[in-house]
Every structure is written in C-alpha cells, then in structure tokens.
Amino acid sequence: MFAEVIIPLALPKNYTWRIPENMLSRLQTGCRVEVNLGKNKKYAGVVKRIHSEKPEFFEPKEILSLLDPEPVIQNFQLELWSWMASYYMCTEGEVMAAALPAHFKLSSETILIFNEEYGDDFSALDNDEYLVAEALLMKHELKLTEVQQILDVAHVYPIVNRLILKKICFVWESLKQSFQPRKESFVLLDPLYDNEEKLSELLNNFGRAPKQMELLLAYLHLIKQQGEVSKPELLKKSGASDAQLKGLSDKGILKIEKRNVDRIIYGPKDIQIDFELNTAQEAALKSLDALFLTKQVCLLHGITSSGKTHIYIRLIERYLRKGQQVLYMLPEIALTSQIIRRLQKHFGGYIGIYHSKFSQNERVEIWNKIKSGELKIVLGARSSLFLPYQDLGFIICDEEHDTSYKQQDPAPRYNARDAAIYLASITQSKVLLGSATPALETYYNAKKEKYGLVELLERFGDVQLPNMELIDTKKIFKKPGEKIMLSSLLLESIHGAVANKKQVILFQNRRGYAPYQVCGMCGTVTGCRQCDVSLTFHKFSNKLVCHYCGTVYPTSATCQACGSDKLVQKNFGTEKIEEMLSEQLPDLRISRMDYDTVKNKNAHDVLIQQFEQKKIDVLVGTQMVVKGLDFDHVGLVGIIDADALLHFADFRVNERAFQMMEQVSGRAGRRGEPGRVMIQALNTLHPVLQHVVRHDYTGMFLEEIEKRKQFFYPPFSRIIQLQFRHRDRDVVTDGANVFARNLGAVYGKYMVGPAEPVINRVRNMFLMEILFKLPRDAMKIATCKEDILKQTAQLHAIPKFRRLVIVPDVDAL
C-alpha cells in the first residue's frame, strides 16, 4: 500500500511513499507522517490518499513514522486545499504551509552527535572547536542553536563543518515538534488534612514558623473562594517566597502539582440577547430566512450604521442553539477587538478569536478546541477559513468588499470571501456577505439572482446619514507647489466639534511624515536602493523607510546626487498631520492609528478602547479607521486628500475610492444628531465625489458596471495576472515577450501586455506583467491555466530563463 502525502514545499505533484506493514492498520487520511525526501531532509507531511497504485517512474521510500494517532486534518479541509491549489494556480504544499499553525509543520533540525571513537584529546583544535568539542563530550549531542549559545556567534556552520571533517562529530537529522502544552503549578492540601479535626489540630500546633502559617491561611482562604489555587497566585496573595512554600511541601502539608492549562482564558458559556430588532431589521431577517431556503449565499447590503451586526447576532444565536459552528470573518485584525467585546457580551465562552497576532502555541490550542467542537463561534481574519470545523453551519463575511480578504504574497493568493463560498459548498453551510459598499462583482451577482439580496437602507434608531461638504482646495491661497494639509474651515470645524463634546476622525491614506523628499537644486527624489519608489520619512524614528521592501535608511542632510543641503519634504502622511494638529490645536488630545502605532498584539485594542472611553479627541488614521469601527461620539470626519484616492492606474480605482470615502464617512453621527463629513479635494467635480456626497451607491454601481462591460473587465470576464521577476531587466523583458509570443496565437485577443507596471523594480527584482481577460467559461479558463503552467515549465527549461520567477495571480486585485 502507498500514501500520497502533502509536504509543505512547492512541488507541482504530491509525492508518494510506501506504507510499512506495521503502520497499515493505524494510518488514516489527514494524519501527519514523517517522510524523507532527498538525501537526509525530513518533513512532516499530511496523508491525502491511501492507495495501491505503485508509481511507475521511481521506487517509493518508506514512511518513517506516524506522528498522530488520529487525523489532525479533516476530509473537507483536504478538499478545500485541493480546490485552492487548482483554482489559484499554486501547489497543495503551499496551501498546507498557509493553512497549518507553525507547530503542526515540523521543522527539520540538525543535531550534532559526539563520535565516541575520537576520544578526549582536543589539543589539535582551535579555541572555538575546543569549546564545542568539550560540550559534546559532556552532553553527547547538541542542537545548532545550542552551539550558537556556546560560541555566542551567529554563524557556526564553518566551525561545525570543520568538526565534522575532523570526525569529532557527525550529523543526525531529527524532526522537532515545537508545540508544548502550557503547564502551571497548582497547590493542593494533603488529603490527610481534608478532615476538619486534623486541620484544626495542625493549625493549633503549628510551631514557630509564622510565615508558613500565613501562607497556609492564605491558601485556605483562596481554596474556599476559587476551588483551586495556582502557585503564582498563592505566593502573590500571601507575600511568601518559594522557600517558605517548599518548607510546607517538605512537611507534607501542601503538595505542588503541574497541570496543562489553556493559554487563552474563556468566560462562562451563555447566550444573552438583550436587544430587539427594529421594523426594518426584522423585515431584513425574514427576507434572509426566505432566501436561504433556496440560496446558499446571500448579500446583506446595509448602509453604514443600519444595524447589520444585530442581524448577524440573531442568526448566530439560531445556529448556536442548533449546536452548529459559526465562522465570523473580518478583513482586519484591528476590527476583532471591538466586535469580540460585543459578541462575548451575547455569547460568552462560546466564542474564540483566530488571527496572525496570536502566538503559535495559542493557535494550536484554538485549533484543537474547534476540532473537538468545544468552540462554537470563531471570529477571525482570512486564515480562519483553514480551521478544522466539526459541524460548520454558517459563515458571515463582514465588509466583504475589503481588499484585505485577498492574500497577496506568498501563495496561495486566495480571496477569503470566494474561498468561504467554496468551503460552504463542501460543508453544506450558508454564507452571508455583508457590506455598506459591496464589491461590484458581488452586487452584480446579487442583482442577477445568483446570490440572494436583502437591502437595509435606513440607519438604526432613525439617525440621519451625515451631512457631506466638499472643500475646494484650489480656492485656498497657498504658495506655488504647496499642498493644503488642513484648511482653516476644517480646523475650525475640528475645534467646534470637540468644544461640543464630540470626537473627530481624520483620514489620510498615507502613513509616515512625508511620502517623499526632493532636492531643491537638482530635483533628485530620495529613493530606495532596491525598489523604484521614493522613501517615506518617519519623523518619530528619524528614519527613511521603503514601504515596499521595508528597508530602513538613516536620514541625510544632503542630496546623494549633488551634495546640496536644499532637501524639501513633499506631501504629507498621518504623522505630519498629527504634528500639525498638535501645533494648531494644542489643547486637544490627539492620537494616530496606522501600521506604525498598532504593531503590538494588543496595541489596536488599547487605542480603540481609549477612543471609545473619550480619552482621545482626534484620531488621525489610515484605512484602519475606515473599516467597520463603531464609535458613539464621532461628530466630524475629515477626508484630508480625496484626490490621492482617485489617481491610481487600476480599473477598480473609482469603486475603491467610493468604498473608502463612504465607509469612513459612515463613522460619523452613528448615535443622536447627524454627523458632518468634510472632504478636501482639488477636483470637486469628479463623478465619484458627487456619488459620495449623495451616498449614492447605486449610481456609482450603474456608472462603473457600464464601463466594465465596455472594456471587458470583471464581472464580465475573469482575470489572471502574470508577474515576471528577475534581477536582470533584459532577462525579465525577454522572458515576458517569449511567453506572450508563445501563448499569443491562442489567447491573443484576451491578452494585454507584456508591460512594465507603474513600480517596475521591487527588492532588486525587475518586473513585467501580462494580463489575461478571459470569458466566463469554466473550460476555457481551466485550459488557459494549464497552458500557462506548461509554458512556465517550458520557459524554465531554457538556461537563460531558469531563474525567472513567474507568479500567477488569479482574480488579481
């Protein structure tokens, strides 16, 4: 018998291994196994299929060991992986690498074993070799990480190599499983003293150890209150030391026991719904119920602050009472902290969170709780799709239009919204897509009745939509070349809003202090050495940062080209706005919310709670402040530079700009009196701005869908973008041209390019792109994908193009 095993490598086909006789009765699909590939590399792979078909072209090796007594991956997950690899033109190994927590992907770790035959005469060795040999003699084996600690240097491979050549040690490759359950020490009273008489006798005749007596009394107090007492808690409560606790342990009065504990604390499991739906929400819920009888996917198009979350909670309650699991997906981690508090209030310990800011150990614990069915509701970002649900009944994809649902790098470059719909089809679940500004493709599918459509077009509590005002920055006096940051009208409005006990959100979709700096003498823009982009100045860290490759450069007072000290900082980011506000309105409490300020695990939660508690008057932010956050006291929203949102070389630019401005304006006036939204722009007559001012999603949709039809863009076509990358500009240009020429005969009328993208060098790699706009014909799309993969293989067979990287991106955003 043989097993097809997925290993976390980008292999176009899954490799096959022979199943040893002693494993036949125990091996199941979804179990992890230890396998050997190549000379001595070991991998932990997942068994996809058990069969009896011996491979024709090679002699399969035996599986080395079985790592799990029962499957860790369910059959529906393997089916999802297979679909994602096929649809998004990647490998199942790449999907596996994205899907599993790191601790399930065992790492091959080199271990050095001491050669006993060498003896203990190390006189011929140099100092570093001597230190390692001595340690090996004592311990017999060392990990490379331990060698690094002994020598206190980062690069130990040359030293290790010399020791191997001198036959002092040899290498043993061993798989390391890095997940360790968290253990905590608990304190227990010896069963002898469970008897009240014995306990009284002990306390009355304790002797001369007052600190131990205090410790024992503290323990008895805590055990009565809580039922169990941890060691750290007891020492903190009693103010005692480890030695005093050890004294009681040595006397046989208290015992210390290590136990496995959860890293994440969950509240009691309870369902408490303390609100009633209004008439519009009730009607929307009834419509959804009717549509879900015949449709698997429904779109809830509800304007900002219409109360979509109330409807979600009611639907979650139903599935929870049926005993099924619910996945609630959000595009940004920043949103989870606010939503989780709302959901915990209603569902208590039934709910768990899953996203990339959790440690790997925490992720494994959540994985196991979902697999066992203990956790019923999962709130997560796109990676929560990959969890091992036991009985998934319902998926909510909130803010379904958001581009953060699309994985950009590395593969699989999947869209979590679309993958959720496929996941629902294999688990027989229902999907609810929710948004105030749906993606054009989603709204088009709903209008064509592929999806159910329910619209909620009035705000909760009869609150009016915010009043929209355009500020024409052309009419404001400024120096030549100067860009208006905050107009006097906007500054006065900020001051007035705060004076009226309201809060303000200012939106600028650029972080940092100044997006670029230019030499006033020669005109040279300070750029990244690895990418064809300008460097952004970050004043707080006093560094220049490339926002594409992340390289950080020291600031310079002189131009690198001509040596002039006439460097001028152009344009502005959130950091500069925050500084200017602090100068102009020094009495206000101002904070910033962007990637630089919310890097830590809980930083976004702290910032949001401070804003909710009115400890911040003005919040300056990038698109993080746009996405679904719900604040009670925001009276004014300012969009600082609307023109910047409208000037991208992308067919979706108008749709995206409308979504972003409409979403951020929806943060204003969510309770009580209507809010105000002020939009600063040079081109106030732009059609998108006119739609935003009228809150006219339908008008924007009709205008854009007509252009999409005219130019054959989605939803009327399916797109595949190919990006070619290489360190040599000529190689990438020639490779893209050969590729286009070979496929042009068949796909010429569907192909655009090859062409250089706007930013044509990133991380020292030159870029070229080809775009395929294919008819919505499943057979033609599948054939095209096959032809692209074949052509890629043929191109890589030519020595000149062997290192040319070709990245396919299906449904590119």
Side-chain angles (χ1 to χ4, degrees):
M1 296 297 289
F2 302 92
E4 181 185 335
V5 179
I6 306 168
I7 58 173
L9 292 179
L11 297 176
K13 285 172 66 178
N14 292 326
Y15 208 73
T16 298
W17 279 266
R18 186 189 297 277
I19 304 170
E21 288 290 330
N22 63 350
M23 224 179 275
L24 277 170
S25 60
R26 296 177 293 138
L27 192 67
Q28 302 173 63
T29 57
C31 284
R32 289 177 307 154
V33 289
E34 182 183 354
V35 292
N36 187 284
L37 189 71
K39 276 192 175 181
N40 56 4
K41 280 289 175 190
K42 293 190 173 76
Y43 294 94
V46 173
V47 176
K48 182 185 178 183
R49 188 169 70 97
I50 296 169
H51 58 88
S52 57
E53 304 143 26
K54 187 181 177 186
E56 281 184 57
F57 306 107
F58 65 95
E59 184 61 37
K61 298 177 183 179
E62 274 202 348
I63 291 171
L64 300 175
S65 65
L66 177 61
L67 300 175
D68 306 300
E70 58 183 48
V72 291
I73 304 299
Q74 317 241 27
N75 285 335
F76 80 84
Q77 290 174 282
L78 292 170
E79 195 176 334
L80 178 66
W81 292 7
S82 180
W83 173 81
M84 285 181 87
S86 166
Y87 186 85
Y88 291 106
M89 298 179 70
C90 61
T91 68
E92 287 182 66
E94 288 170 311
V95 180
M96 174 189 172
L100 293 185
H103 292 335
F104 280 151
K105 297 173 288 189
L106 305 187
S107 56
S108 186
E109 183 175 271
T110 303
I111 293 178
L112 301 180
I113 307 293
F114 183 66
N115 180 9
E116 299 284 351
E117 291 175 12
Y118 186 87
D120 58 359
D121 180 13
F122 303 140
S123 55
L125 306 182
D126 68 29
N127 192 45
D128 287 341
E129 292 168 356
Y130 182 87
L131 287 171
V132 178
E134 278 280 282
L136 277 166
L137 180 65
M138 287 186 281
K139 289 188 72 177
H140 292 284
E141 65 180 57
L142 288 174
K143 295 176 187 171
L144 278 188
T145 48
E146 291 172 316
V147 176
Q148 284 177 327
Q149 287 167 357
I150 291 164
L151 298 176
D152 198 22
V153 292
H155 302 291
V156 296
Y157 284 91
I159 299 155
V160 168
N161 193 45
R162 293 201 299 271
L163 290 170
I164 293 165
L165 289 173
K166 291 174 181 178
K167 295 187 170 52
I168 293 161
C169 61
F170 53 89
V171 171
W172 178 54
E173 290 279 312
S174 169
L175 281 173
K176 172 194 76 173
Q177 181 153 8
S178 46
F179 171 68
Q180 294 296 330
R182 182 177 175 181
K183 291 187 180 291
E184 201 167 299
S185 296
F186 285 84
V187 182
L188 306 170
L189 187 66
D190 191 282
L192 178 68
Y193 301 106
D194 283 348
N195 183 313
E196 274 194 38
E197 199 177 305
K198 288 277 188 189
L199 185 59
S200 300
E201 189 183 323
L202 171 69
L203 293 170
N204 291 330
N205 302 298
F206 201 79
R208 281 184 265 161
K211 278 289 180 187
Q212 287 185 5
M213 179 69 163
E214 280 176 39
L215 184 61
L216 182 57
L217 290 171
Y219 170 80
L220 294 169
H221 176 71
L222 282 172
I223 197 78
K224 196 170 184 182
Q225 275 188 327
Q226 299 172 193
E228 61 178 17
V229 181
S230 70
K231 179 181 166 182
E233 201 176 18
L234 177 58
L235 294 178
K236 187 179 176 183
K237 170 87 175 169
S238 62
S241 66
D242 261 330
Q244 284 147 0
L245 180 58
K246 189 176 184 302
L248 284 173
S249 174
D250 291 343
K251 288 176 182 176
I253 298 167
L254 294 178
K255 291 196 299 183
I256 297 166
E257 182 182 277
K258 278 196 180 288
R259 293 185 201 159
N260 291 350
V261 294
D262 286 341
R263 287 178 166 82
I264 303 164
I265 308 302
Y266 298 92
K269 292 182 176 177
D270 194 16
I271 301 175
Q272 288 185 335
I273 309 297
D274 58 357
F275 62 84
E276 294 295 325
L277 299 181
N278 65 19
T279 311
Q281 289 171 320
E282 199 67 60
L285 185 59
K286 282 180 182 170
S287 300
L288 284 170
D289 288 340
L291 285 165
F292 275 133
L293 294 174
T294 55
K295 305 278 186 191
Q296 189 161 40
V297 183
C298 285
L299 168 65
L300 176 59
H301 175 211
I303 62 170
T304 55
S305 196
S306 57
K308 295 186 290 295
T309 309
H310 281 165
I311 295 172
Y312 299 159
I313 289 166
R314 284 292 190 192
L315 287 164
I316 291 169
E317 180 196 7
R318 288 186 192 173
Y319 284 92
L320 196 54
R321 292 196 188 281
K322 284 197 281 186
Q324 289 186 289
Q325 290 172 311
V326 176
L327 168 59
Y328 190 140
M329 285 203 307
L330 287 163
E332 287 275 358
I333 291 166
L335 294 184
T336 55
S337 58
Q338 196 177 45
I339 294 286
I340 192 70
R341 289 196 297 276
R342 291 182 70 176
L343 295 183
Q344 277 174 338
K345 179 184 166 190
H346 299 300
F347 303 113
Y350 282 114
I351 189 161
I353 320 171
Y354 190 82
H355 56 60
S356 61
K357 289 281 174 85
F358 278 129
S359 74
Q360 296 297 340
N361 282 330
E362 286 170 334
R363 287 200 227 181
V364 172
E365 282 184 5
I366 296 165
W367 180 285
N368 291 333
K369 283 180 183 296
I370 289 160
K371 188 168 180 284
S372 68
E374 190 180 334
L375 270 183
K376 292 295 184 189
I377 308 164
V378 178
L379 181 65
R382 58 177 181 250
S383 57
S384 54
L385 271 177
F386 295 116
L387 291 167
Y389 300 98
Q390 188 191 61
D391 183 12
L392 184 63
F394 189 47
I395 302 172
I396 296 166
C397 185
D398 199 10
E399 309 295 342
E400 65 82 28
H401 65 276
D402 200 289
T403 53
S404 297
Y405 279 125
K406 181 79 162 81
Q407 163 90 355
Q408 301 299 341
D409 262 321
R413 293 169 182 83
Y414 67 101
N415 189 314
R417 175 198 62 207
D418 301 341
I421 291 169
Y422 186 82
L423 174 62
S425 72
I426 53 179
T427 56
Q428 302 304 304
S429 324
K430 300 292 183 185
V431 181
L432 180 59
L433 309 175
S435 177
T437 53
L440 256 70
E441 292 90 334
T442 304
Y443 197 67
Y444 177 81
N445 284 333
K447 283 290 187 185
K448 290 288 180 185
E449 297 187 0
K450 182 179 178 182
Y451 303 158
L453 174 63
V454 175
E455 303 202 89
L456 196 58
L457 302 177
E458 62 181 62
R459 279 188 146 191
F460 185 76
D462 296 322
V463 175
Q464 296 300 305
L465 283 164
N467 300 314
M468 312 292 286
E469 301 168 40
L470 287 173
I471 299 172
D472 190 343
T473 51
K474 289 196 303 292
K475 294 179 180 176
I476 300 170
F477 175 76
K478 56 187 181 293
K479 295 172 190 170
E482 185 189 0
K483 196 161 185 176
I484 293 295
M485 199 183 327
L486 297 172
S487 62
S488 54
L489 182 58
L490 181 54
L491 279 168
E492 285 166 22
S493 302
I494 292 168
H495 195 272
V498 176
N500 288 331
K501 303 285 188 286
K502 293 290 182 184
Q503 291 170 291
V504 179
I505 289 176
L506 296 178
F507 168 60
Q508 167 67 351
N509 208 26
R510 282 181 183 272
R511 62 189 172 97
Y513 188 82
Y516 66 99
Q517 61 180 22
V518 61
C519 175
M521 293 298 289
C522 68
T524 299
V525 175
T526 309
C528 176
R529 293 186 198 118
Q530 301 185 82
C531 312
D532 277 345
V533 291
S534 59
L535 294 173
T536 300
F537 175 56
H538 287 248
K539 193 170 184 180
F540 179 75
S541 59
N542 195 32
K543 292 281 190 288
L544 294 165
V545 181
C546 174
H547 287 177
Y548 276 76
C549 67
T551 307
V552 178
Y553 299 85
T555 51
S556 172
T558 56
C559 172
Q560 300 294 315
C562 71
S564 164
D565 61 358
K566 302 283 191 295
L567 292 176
V568 183
Q569 285 161 357
K570 292 281 188 176
N571 220 322
F572 50 87
T574 48
E575 206 176 349
K576 194 169 185 176
I577 295 165
E578 183 187 24
E579 182 188 84
M580 184 189 172
L581 270 175
S582 302
E583 290 168 2
Q584 301 268 348
L585 304 169
D587 299 335
L588 303 191
R589 297 164 298 175
I590 300 158
S591 275
R592 182 162 48 94
M593 187 180 187
D594 56 27
Y595 176 77
D596 301 314
T597 59
V598 295
K599 284 182 180 176
N600 297 334
K601 180 177 174 181
N602 297 313
H604 56 276
D605 194 15
V606 170
L607 194 56
I608 288 166
Q609 287 196 50
Q610 285 176 342
F611 197 70
E612 284 176 332
Q613 293 158 10
K614 298 191 76 175
K615 292 177 181 175
I616 297 168
D617 296 318
V618 182
L619 184 62
V620 182
T622 56
Q623 57 183 311
M624 282 185 178
V625 299
V626 173
K627 300 177 180 181
L629 295 171
D630 185 13
F631 300 118
D632 289 352
H633 306 289
V634 176
L636 173 67
V637 166
I639 299 172
I640 308 295
D641 186 10
D643 302 290
L645 302 173
L646 295 161
H647 294 154
F648 286 101
D650 190 313
F651 73 92
R652 289 190 175 92
V653 62
N654 288 349
E655 176 193 1
R656 297 262 171 79
F658 177 88
Q659 287 167 341
M660 219 169 273
M661 286 189 269
E662 184 65 17
Q663 288 283 344
V664 75
S665 69
R667 303 314 110 210
R670 294 173 78 90
R671 309 286 184 276
E673 61 193 68
R676 286 175 77 194
V677 178
M678 306 183 84
I679 304 172
Q680 293 185 160
L682 282 166
N683 183 9
T684 53
L685 297 176
H686 195 290
V688 170
L689 290 178
Q690 299 306 312
H691 291 310
V692 170
V693 166
R694 295 193 299 270
H695 302 288
D696 183 10
Y697 174 82
T698 306
M700 185 278 297
F701 170 79
L702 293 172
E703 198 171 289
E704 283 298 302
I705 208 76
E706 197 52 46
K707 290 177 188 171
R708 299 278 182 95
K709 189 174 184 179
Q710 186 182 345
F711 293 102
F712 196 52
Y713 275 113
F716 302 100
S717 65
R718 301 301 285 269
I719 61 173
I720 301 172
Q721 181 181 283
L722 296 184
Q723 190 176 76
F724 298 78
R725 305 173 185 170
H726 197 275
R727 290 183 180 277
D728 186 320
R729 186 193 290 269
D730 292 337
V731 171
V732 81
T733 304
D734 293 348
N737 284 324
V738 169
F739 200 101
R741 200 163 49 244
N742 290 347
L743 288 185
V746 182
Y747 300 102
K749 64 179 179 179
Y750 304 126
M751 205 164 68
V752 181
E756 283 190 348
V758 177
I759 293 158
N760 67 346
R761 185 173 64 102
V762 175
R763 294 187 176 90
N764 270 335
M765 303 283 267
F766 289 94
L767 311 178
M768 290 288 282
E769 289 178 350
I770 295 175
L771 185 71
F772 290 85
K773 294 193 285 184
L774 300 164
R776 294 179 69 87
D777 175 336
M779 284 296 291
K780 186 170 270 302
I781 293 166
T783 306
C784 181
K785 285 177 182 176
E786 278 179 35
D787 290 343
I788 288 169
L789 293 173
K790 281 179 191 170
Q791 185 57 39
T792 301
Q794 286 171 21
L795 205 62
H796 283 153
I798 302 167
K800 180 182 177 180
F801 301 124
R802 193 158 288 151
R803 294 186 180 277
L804 180 65
V805 178
I806 303 172
V807 177
D809 189 356
V810 179
D811 300 338
L813 289 183

